[in-house]
Amino acid sequence: MTNSKVDGRPRLSGDVYYPSENVIAQANIRDYEEQVRRAQDDLEGFWGERADELEWYRKWDKVLDDSDKPFYKWFVGARTNIVHNALDRHVKTWRKNKLALIWEGENGDLRSFSYHALNREVCRFANVLRSLGVSKGDRVTIYMGRIPEIWIAMLACAKIGAVHSVVYGGFSVDALQGRIEDSQSRVLITADGGWMNGKIVELKRTVDEALKRCPSVEHVVVVQRTGHGVSMEPERDHWYHNLMNLPIANGKSETEVMDAEDPLYILYTSGTTGRPKAVVHTHGGYMVGIYTTLRWVFDLKEEDRWWCAADPGWVTGHSYIVYGPLLNGATSFMYEGAPTYPYPNRWWQMIEKYGITILYTAPTAIRGLMRFGEAWPNRHDLSSLRLLGTVGEPINPEAWKWYYRVIGKERCPIMDTWWQTETGTFMITPLPVVPLKPGSGALPFPGVEADVVDEAGNPVAPNEEGYLILKRPWPAMLRTIYRDPDRYVQQYWSKYPGYYLTGDSAKRDEDGYFWIIGRVDDVIKVSGYRLGTAEIESALVSHPAVAEAAAIGLPHEVKGTAIHAFTILRAGFTGSPELVEELRDHVSKHMGPIAKPEAVTFVDKLPKTRSGKIMRRVLKARALGLPEGDVSTLEE
Ligand code: WTA
C-alpha cells in the first residue's frame, strides 16, 4: 500500500491508503468499477454468472422472482444442496486430499481434517441424525464451543435437509431455552464442555437446566470434549462417539436434493423489540452469495490458509468459518479458546505456526490485544499474512492503524466488511483493489445499492447522518422471520416501502464512502456481539428485587459498547454495592457472560413515553451529558 495517488485513479479526500501494485497484480477481481456497472445494469445476469461457477442438480428458471415483494425468491426452480458444493463436489477431485480444517484446542489439542475426512464424518453423522428420526425441514439446535464437531453437526444437518439452529455457546440457560422452544427442535447437539481461559464452560449442565422447560427435545447428542464428567439422562442423552461407532453410521449417505429456496438454517438475532427472532437463510441464494463475497473480498486462493476468528454461533461463523471457505475449497483454521490464553501472544503464535495468510476478526479483539503492546506480536514471524479483515462494529482509526502497522506490517490491506445476520453476506466492503480509509467500510459490493436517508426517506447530503438502507435485493438476503412473516415485513420493509431498513445510522462522504455510526434501534453491540435490550431487561426483572429495568449501551474502550442497566427496585429492597454485583451476576447466569452489565444504577423513575415505552435514547443522552433531543412524547 502507498499513501500517494496511483496512476489513473482519482485522488480521494481524507486519510487514504491506496493498494500497492503487488496487491492489485494478484487480486482475483481487478475491475471493481466495471463489475459494479455490470451488476447495476443487469443484476440477474451478474448473479446468474456467479451461480454458474457452482454445481446444481437442476438450474434455475429465473434468477430473481420479485412478484411477491418483499418475499423475494432467488434461483427459482433450481435444485441444489449447499453441502454438494461445500463437500461432495470437492471429494470428486484432487481436493479430497487438501486440508479443509486445521483446529487447535485451547489446551493444545490438535486435529485436522482433509476434505475427504471431513466429508466422511459428515456422512456418518448424517446417518446418525437420520437414525434419530431427523428428516428434511426438521429443526435441530446446536449448542457447542469452537470444536470441529460443530462443523460436522451443521453440515450433517444441511446434508439431510434439516434446518440447523446454532445457539452461541456463550449464551446461558434462558437464552438457550427460548431459542429451543421457538424452533421446536426435537434434537439437540452439544458437548460436555469447552475450554475457555483455562476453565471449563459447562455446556451440558446448561442444556440440562434449559431442557427442564423444553419438552420438545427427545434426543441430546453429546460430544465429549472436556471429559469432566456430566450427567447423562438415560434414553434422552447419547454420546456422540457411541452413535458414530454404531454400524448405522457407516456406509453411503445421500445428500438430500433441495429446492434453492428451501431453508438451510435459522439463526436467532435481536431486533427492535421483544424476543430474539430467527432469520431464515436458504440453500441456493445464500450459497451463491457467500461463495462470491468471500472469493472477491478476501481474494481467496487455493493456497491460502484462512482464519476467521469469530464463533460459529454467530452469522460470521456460519458464512465465513463454515460454509464460505468450504464452498471455495479453501483451508480454514479454527481455534477453540481465548486470544490471551495462556499469554497474549497466542494468536500471533498460531499465525506463525500455521502460516495463516488471511486473518478476519473484530475491532474489539484488536483493541483487546493492542492493550498488551507491540512486543507480543513482534516476537513472531507474521510474514505469511497478506490480507486482514474486520467486522462487527465500527473500527476506530487508531485500532485500524495498529492492526495495519503492527500485524499487517503495512503490506496487508484491511477489509472492513459491513453486514448483518439478515444480509447473510458482506454488503458494504472494500475489495483489495479499492483504496481504503481507516474506519470506513468503503463501498457497496457489486449489485448492492446502499443509501443514507432522512426520516422522510430523502437522501441526505454528504457527511450528514441518516438511516442506512438497501435498495435492491441480493441473493443471500434473509427470506423471512421464522414463524413470523409479519414481523419480517414490519421490521425491515415498512419504514421505507420497497427498501430494506438496516437499523444502522451512517454517513456517506464526498467520495461515496460509507461510515457506519451504529445502531439506531434497541440492539446493543457488546464486543461485536449483538444483544437486544429486551432480553437483558427481562433477565433483570426476573430477579426478585427488580420491578423495572432499562438497558442501554455506552461507549467502552475495548468492548466498543458496554451495557449499562437502570433499575427500579421493588418495595422492601434497597440499593447497595452487593445488590449491584448480584444483579450483574444474575444477568450473566441467565443470559450469558457477554450480557453482564458494566454497571447497574438504581433509579426511582425511568423516562417513558405516554404509552409506557421506555425512552432509552433519553437515558443515554443523560448518561453522556448530551442534549436529550425531542422529548415531546415524554410522559412528564
Ligand atoms: C454492526 C455481524 C460497522 C452493524 C456480521 C450491523 C458493523 C450489526 C460492521 C450486525 C462494520 C457489522 N462496521 N458496524 N464493518 N459490521 N456492524 O447481525 O451495527 O451480529 O447492523 O452481524 O453489526 O450485527 P450481526
Side-chain angles (χ1 to χ4, degrees):
M1 308 281 284
T2 65
N3 225 331
S4 63
K5 184 182 159 179
V6 171
D7 284 347
R9 285 177 180 274
R11 182 175 279 288
L12 302 175
S13 63
D15 191 9
V16 188
Y17 291 67
Y18 292 91
S20 68
E21 301 289 343
N22 190 29
V23 166
I24 295 174
Q26 64 176 335
N28 280 342
I29 302 299
R30 287 176 220 172
D31 53 349
Y32 168 73
E33 280 93 1
E34 202 175 308
Q35 295 295 346
V36 169
R37 268 193 302 277
R38 160 100 179 87
Q40 200 153 36
D41 297 345
D42 178 14
L43 190 67
E44 289 189 58
F46 174 80
W47 283 114
E49 269 171 31
R50 307 283 76 72
D52 264 331
E53 294 170 24
L54 294 164
E55 289 184 5
W56 301 79
Y57 301 129
R58 181 187 187 275
K59 291 245 171 142
W60 49 94
D61 301 316
K62 191 162 175 18
V63 172
L64 170 64
D65 173 1
D66 60 1
S67 58
D68 183 23
K69 292 174 195 164
F71 297 94
Y72 295 92
K73 295 189 180 72
W74 285 85
F75 306 105
V76 185
R79 304 243 159 70
T80 188
N81 186 312
I82 198 165
V83 171
H84 177 84
N85 280 297
L87 294 173
D88 304 1
R89 168 170 87 105
H90 302 310
V91 296
K92 288 184 288 187
T93 71
W94 64 271
R95 274 206 205 94
K96 62 178 180 287
N97 289 325
K98 180 176 176 176
L99 286 181
L101 170 61
I102 304 168
W103 176 81
E104 184 166 314
E106 197 191 68
N107 61 351
D109 287 352
L110 304 176
R111 288 164 78 191
S112 57
F113 295 78
S114 63
Y115 272 85
H116 174 82
L118 183 62
N119 183 54
R120 276 313 306 149
E121 296 304 295
V122 170
C123 287
R124 289 167 74 207
F125 196 54
N127 289 339
V128 165
L129 287 176
R130 281 186 172 124
S131 79
L132 293 176
V134 180
S135 58
K136 192 168 175 170
D138 291 348
R139 277 81 50 218
V140 173
T141 297
I142 301 173
Y143 177 69
M144 264 191 223
R146 284 190 290 261
I147 55 174
E149 283 79 5
I150 194 165
W151 291 50
I152 297 166
M154 290 166 73
L155 292 160
C157 286
K159 186 178 176 81
I160 66 172
V163 178
H164 58 70
S165 168
V166 180
V167 179
Y168 171 55
F171 274 134
S172 197
V173 184
D174 293 5
L176 175 61
Q177 185 234 327
R179 287 159 174 79
I180 296 173
E181 224 168 44
D182 188 77
S183 69
Q184 300 164 313
S185 300
R186 284 176 40 243
V187 172
L188 187 149
I189 308 161
T190 188
D192 50 356
W195 288 108
M196 188 60 71
N197 266 317
K199 293 194 214 79
I200 288 176
V201 182
E202 294 282 354
L203 296 168
K204 177 61 164 63
R205 199 172 286 174
T206 304
V207 165
D208 290 339
E209 273 302 302
L211 290 193
K212 286 182 185 158
R213 291 170 284 156
C214 295
S216 70
V217 175
E218 293 160 20
H219 297 288
V220 179
V221 180
V222 188
V223 175
Q224 194 165 53
R225 164 69 188 124
T226 47
H228 67 298
V230 293
S231 69
M232 296 289 279
E233 176 106 7
E235 310 288 315
R236 188 194 71 183
D237 299 350
H238 319 271
W239 285 109
Y240 174 89
H241 55 265
N242 288 344
L243 296 176
M244 290 288 266
N245 282 329
L246 293 175
I248 187 115
N250 293 315
K252 258 186 100 127
S253 181
E254 297 292 339
T255 303
E256 194 78 31
V257 174
M258 306 298 283
D259 189 278
E261 281 291 302
D262 277 337
L264 165 65
Y265 67 78
I266 57 176
L267 184 57
Y268 287 85
T269 191
S270 26
T272 309
T273 47
R275 295 174 11 135
K277 57 200 184 326
V279 160
V280 179
H281 283 298
T282 59
H283 273 264
Y286 176 78
M287 168 176 85
V288 174
I290 52 176
Y291 162 78
T292 307
T293 49
L294 182 56
R295 191 172 200 82
W296 287 32
V297 174
F298 283 102
D299 200 33
L300 264 196
K301 304 267 196 311
E302 203 70 78
E303 61 272 24
D304 272 315
R305 286 195 162 185
W306 160 256
W307 182 13
C308 168
D311 192 283
W314 301 86
V315 75
T316 308
H318 282 58
S319 295
Y320 300 112
I321 294 181
V322 180
Y323 290 113
L326 293 177
L327 289 169
N328 280 286
T331 298
S332 281
F333 171 68
M334 186 167 77
Y335 165 61
E336 178 185 36
T340 49
Y341 188 85
Y343 301 109
N345 65 332
R346 184 67 183 263
W347 273 25
W348 319 128
Q349 190 182 28
M350 294 187 301
I351 288 173
E352 176 175 358
K353 177 173 170 189
Y354 297 105
I356 303 299
T357 57
I358 312 173
L359 172 67
Y360 182 42
T361 183
T364 188
I366 299 162
R367 288 190 297 260
L369 290 164
M370 212 170 120
R371 277 192 314 173
F372 294 98
E374 290 176 33
W376 290 105
N378 286 346
R379 197 169 279 148
H380 296 277
D381 177 5
L382 304 180
S383 61
S384 58
L385 288 172
R386 66 179 190 91
L387 271 174
L388 301 172
T390 161
V391 61
E393 50 169 328
I395 181 163
N396 46 315
E398 196 201 351
W400 194 99
K401 286 179 184 165
W402 188 87
Y403 195 27
Y404 181 70
R405 181 175 59 80
V406 178
I407 307 307
K409 311 293 181 207
E410 302 185 354
R411 283 184 296 106
C412 308
I414 299 177
M415 301 297 108
D416 181 349
T417 59
W418 175 88
W419 59 296
Q420 310 179 298
T421 307
E422 293 87 340
T423 68
T425 46
F426 309 145
M427 301 303 284
I428 297 176
T429 172
L431 258 50
V433 297
V434 169
L436 307 173
K437 299 188 187 191
S440 166
L443 303 163
F445 191 82
V448 174
E449 203 182 315
D451 207 348
V452 181
V453 298
D454 63 17
E455 211 47 62
N458 303 311
V460 300
N463 296 312
E464 260 179 44
E465 185 174 342
Y467 297 98
L468 179 65
I469 60 165
L470 303 172
K471 293 179 144 176
R472 292 179 95 177
W474 63 99
M477 64 196 297
L478 78 163
R479 294 304 191 270
T480 188
I481 296 296
Y482 180 61
R483 299 203 301 157
D484 201 349
D486 293 344
R487 192 153 163 193
Y488 167 69
V489 178
Q490 181 56 34
Q491 176 156 344
Y492 303 107
W493 302 94
S494 64
K495 188 169 169 87
Y496 307 110
Y499 297 150
Y500 171 86
L501 184 71
T502 64
D504 278 351
S505 66
K507 290 180 188 175
R508 195 179 189 176
D509 70 17
E510 49 284 354
D511 298 319
Y513 274 53
F514 284 83
W515 299 77
I516 308 297
I517 296 162
R519 300 291 305 194
V520 283
D521 54 9
D522 298 334
V523 170
I524 306 180
K525 276 277 180 161
V526 185
S527 302
Y529 293 113
R530 179 165 164 179
L531 300 172
T533 52
E535 254 191 318
I536 302 162
E537 289 160 5
S538 94
L540 281 163
V541 295
S542 73
H543 188 281
V546 179
E548 275 192 81
I552 58 168
L554 293 178
H556 184 279
E557 207 182 322
V558 174
K559 298 177 181 174
T561 313
I563 299 167
H564 288 248
F566 295 83
T567 56
I568 301 177
L569 293 179
R570 285 181 193 282
F573 290 91
T574 31
S576 66
E578 293 73 37
L579 188 55
V580 167
E581 281 319 300
E582 197 177 315
L583 292 177
R584 293 180 67 221
D585 289 342
H586 181 82
V587 176
S588 175
K589 186 162 161 272
H590 284 258
M591 268 287 289
I594 46 165
K596 187 171 183 168
E598 195 72 10
V600 178
T601 309
F602 303 110
V603 293
D604 298 329
K605 258 187 194 170
L606 289 168
K608 283 187 190 162
T609 61
R610 277 175 221 109
S611 58
K613 203 171 173 286
I614 295 170
M615 295 182 84
R616 296 185 189 81
R617 175 174 65 76
V618 172
L619 273 176
K620 194 167 168 174
R622 283 181 193 165
L624 294 172
L626 295 171
E628 291 180 13
D630 179 10
V631 288
S632 57
T633 55
L634 198 63
E635 193 179 28
E636 57 196 55

